[in-house]
Amino acid sequence: MDQKTHHPADRGAGSGAIRCSRCGATAEGPTPPVTWTCSVENHRRHYFCENCSRDNIRSIEGRLDSSWW
Ligand SMILES: [Zn+2]
């Protein structure tokens, strides 16, 4: 059989999986874990996993004291 299936473009590239924009880690979709961070850049959503979110937050809130890390 040579059936062609059309995938709706608005479903996104992955198959429901969410991918970290930084390290490439994946999580089960359709919604990211609460520990993940979503940021919108250039009208595109970027997800960051738990580890990368920490680094992100640390860089964003660079004034945070590192005593609790
Ligand atoms: Zn990551």
Side-chain angles (χ1 to χ4, degrees), residues 20 22-25 48-49 52:
C20 175
R22 192 168 179 186
C23 72
F48 297 99
C49 71
C52 293

Side-chain angles (χ1 to χ4, degrees), residues 21-35:
S21 297
R22 192 168 179 186
C23 72
T26 55
E28 302 254 344
T31 56
V34 293
T35 51

Side-chain angles (χ1 to χ4, degrees), residues 31-53:
T31 56
V34 293
T35 51
W36 283 46
T37 303
C38 175
S39 68
V40 179
E41 298 175 10
N42 298 326
H43 305 288
R44 288 194 60 185
R45 287 190 181 185
H46 294 271
Y47 292 99
F48 297 99
C49 71
E50 185 176 356
N51 290 333
C52 293
S53 295

